[in-house]
Amino acid sequence: MGKKILLTGGLGYIGSHTAVELFHAGFQPILLDNLSNSRVDVLDRIGEIIQQPLHFYLGDVRDGKILRQIFSEHQIEGVIHFAALKSVSESVQQPLKYFDVNVSGLTQLLQVMQESNVKKLVFSSSCTVYGQPTDNWEVSENTPLQDPMSPYARTKRMNEEMIQDVCHTGFLSAVILRYFNPVGAHPSGLIGELPLGVPANLVPFLTQSVAGIRQPLTVFGNDYPTSDGTCIRDYIHVVDLAKAHVAALNFNSKEHSPEVFNVGTGKGSTVLEVISSFEKTTGLTVPFSIGPRREGDITAVYANTEKIQRELNWKSNYCLDDMMLHAWNWQKNQN
């Protein structure tokens, strides 16, 4: 087997898909998850896709004891850190919870990595660190960061700054991936987005509404200065995103400074365009109504992806219609 890579939050939405792509690329994923927003049966589903069981540890990234156990039992070559809370709206209501998990979690992880002399980190960041861009909705890695619009965004900004400070000491070699909006599911239909409770993100709420599990979808605001009045986001297929982590692990970042990459398609879609794509692809009708704007939401943002294409030789392959089809196939498997 290849190099052992620890995935914190490894049974989560992005973690599970990345485990599959890492395995296919010749790595040996070691998974840690506290199951706060995932289920243990995802482990079996990953195993079904790759035809092999993976090492899994049940535990919290804030627990130094479980981290030390993993590092002592395996020769870990690198860490991909997914374990975090991710709802913009929930973070506005419960900011302390987000600072505890997202900031304390990374602090503990970096401490144990340093103790264990594990220097390679790929960090799961977010386009929310850009805030609402002032000049242009397309953002590059050099776009000035505006004030965070939510506690969630602030934690990701703090995480990035923490990683930068640790890199400056010469200990850490880090790649920071700023995700745009991950959607879709594995084409097999075996793994996908599995929010426990009411989904905070558009696509799982949409698919659950169509499946009759949720009430009709609420579109938060139709008075934004966009083509149809709804927010614009850059939606990226989760498998494309997972492959970006493999590329990031293989990248040799320069010393004393983390390397930052946007991970998106480079194209923005409005909420109504997402709904339209789903209806066209599946032939089903999405029940929805227009509601007021949601606190913490920005008008529009999408990625400039020139840097990641140039330096990691990565680009997205799936289109919005693929994302909707795979998300729906996954949803049907849940019924």
Side-chain angles (χ1 to χ4, degrees), residues 186-202:
H186 195 268
S188 67
L190 286 168
I191 54 174
E193 191 163 8
L194 191 67
L196 302 185
V198 180
N201 296 334
L202 170 63

Side-chain angles (χ1 to χ4, degrees), residues 175-230:
V175 174
I176 292 170
L177 298 181
R178 289 178 180 160
Y179 308 165
F180 282 69
N181 288 62
V183 297
H186 195 268
S188 67
L190 286 168
I191 54 174
E193 191 163 8
L194 191 67
L196 302 185
V198 180
N201 296 334
L202 170 63
V203 174
F205 200 107
L206 184 157
T207 59
Q208 290 187 13
S209 291
V210 174
I213 297 166
R214 301 278 165 214
Q215 68 270 34
L217 175 71
T218 300
V219 175
F220 296 109
N222 66 344
D223 58 348
Y224 287 96
T226 62
S227 59
D228 58 26
T230 62

Side-chain angles (χ1 to χ4, degrees), residues 84-132:
L85 299 174
K86 62 179 185 178
S87 166
V88 167
S89 53
E90 183 188 52
S91 78
V92 173
Q93 304 300 322
Q94 301 184 60
L96 290 176
K97 180 178 173 183
Y98 274 68
F99 288 113
D100 180 27
V101 174
N102 294 8
V103 181
S104 303
L106 178 61
T107 305
Q108 185 65 251
L109 175 64
L110 290 174
Q111 284 176 340
V112 179
M113 285 178 68
Q114 195 158 9
E115 285 173 23
S116 308
N117 202 32
V118 176
K119 298 185 175 184
K120 185 112 185 155
L121 176 71
V122 177
F123 178 67
S124 162
S125 191
S126 163
C127 65
T128 59
V129 299
Y130 291 111
Q132 177 59 67

Side-chain angles (χ1 to χ4, degrees), residues 102-103 106 123 155-163:
N102 294 8
V103 181
L106 178 61
F123 178 67
T155 65
K156 289 298 184 184
R157 177 90 165 261
M158 291 169 74
N159 288 154
E160 288 196 11
E161 290 168 351
M162 192 190 310
I163 290 166

Side-chain angles (χ1 to χ4, degrees), residues 6-284:
L6 172 62
L7 277 61
T8 69
L11 292 186
Y13 177 38
I14 303 166
S16 59
H17 288 81
T18 302
V20 170
E21 298 307 322
L22 281 174
F23 179 84
H24 289 327
F27 291 96
Q28 189 174 350
I30 310 292
L31 311 183
L32 169 70
D33 205 294
N34 68 358
L35 303 181
S36 65
N37 197 32
S38 56
R39 290 198 319 231
V40 74
D41 68 302
V42 172
L43 188 62
D44 296 330
R45 291 164 174 264
I46 296 170
E48 199 175 330
I49 294 169
I50 66 174
Q51 295 294 293
Q52 189 155 323
L54 293 180
H55 286 283
F56 169 65
Y57 291 83
L58 175 61
D60 194 295
V61 74
R62 292 167 293 177
D63 178 4
K65 186 177 174 186
I66 189 82
L67 291 174
R68 289 182 184 93
Q69 180 187 345
I70 295 169
F71 285 113
S72 68
E73 292 179 359
H74 301 276
Q75 189 179 346
I76 301 293
E77 301 280 346
V79 179
I80 305 181
H81 181 45
F82 296 109
L85 299 174
K86 62 179 185 178
S87 166
V88 167
S89 53
E90 183 188 52
S91 78
V92 173
Q93 304 300 322
Q94 301 184 60
L96 290 176
K97 180 178 173 183
Y98 274 68
F99 288 113
D100 180 27
V101 174
N102 294 8
V103 181
S104 303
L106 178 61
T107 305
Q108 185 65 251
L109 175 64
L110 290 174
Q111 284 176 340
V112 179
M113 285 178 68
Q114 195 158 9
E115 285 173 23
S116 308
N117 202 32
V118 176
K119 298 185 175 184
K120 185 112 185 155
L121 176 71
V122 177
F123 178 67
S124 162
S125 191
S126 163
C127 65
T128 59
V129 299
Y130 291 111
Q132 177 59 67
T134 52
D135 300 329
N136 192 343
W137 291 340
E138 180 184 75
V139 292
S140 77
E141 292 81 357
N142 296 321
T143 298
L145 305 184
Q146 304 301 317
D147 285 341
M149 300 278 284
S150 67
Y152 166 72
R154 195 176 304 281
T155 65
K156 289 298 184 184
R157 177 90 165 261
M158 291 169 74
N159 288 154
E160 288 196 11
E161 290 168 351
M162 192 190 310
I163 290 166
Q164 193 151 7
D165 288 340
V166 178
C167 283
H168 284 164
T169 69
F171 154 66
L172 192 66
S173 170
V175 174
I176 292 170
L177 298 181
R178 289 178 180 160
Y179 308 165
F180 282 69
N181 288 62
V183 297
H186 195 268
S188 67
L190 286 168
I191 54 174
E193 191 163 8
L194 191 67
L196 302 185
V198 180
N201 296 334
L202 170 63
V203 174
F205 200 107
L206 184 157
T207 59
Q208 290 187 13
S209 291
V210 174
I213 297 166
R214 301 278 165 214
Q215 68 270 34
L217 175 71
T218 300
V219 175
F220 296 109
N222 66 344
D223 58 348
Y224 287 96
T226 62
S227 59
D228 58 26
T230 62
C231 291
I232 291 174
R233 297 290 183 269
D234 185 339
Y235 295 92
I236 170 85
H237 196 292
V238 66
V239 173
D240 282 334
L241 177 57
K243 288 177 177 175
H245 292 80
V246 179
L249 266 182
N250 288 324
F251 178 78
N252 290 317
S253 52
K254 55 184 177 282
E255 286 186 15
H256 302 299
S257 181
E259 200 70 54
V260 179
F261 295 100
N262 285 339
V263 193
T265 63
K267 180 180 183 299
S269 302
T270 68
V271 177
L272 293 183
E273 284 170 347
V274 171
I275 291 171
S276 173
S277 170
F278 182 91
E279 292 185 335
K280 178 184 76 173
T281 309
T282 65
L284 300 168

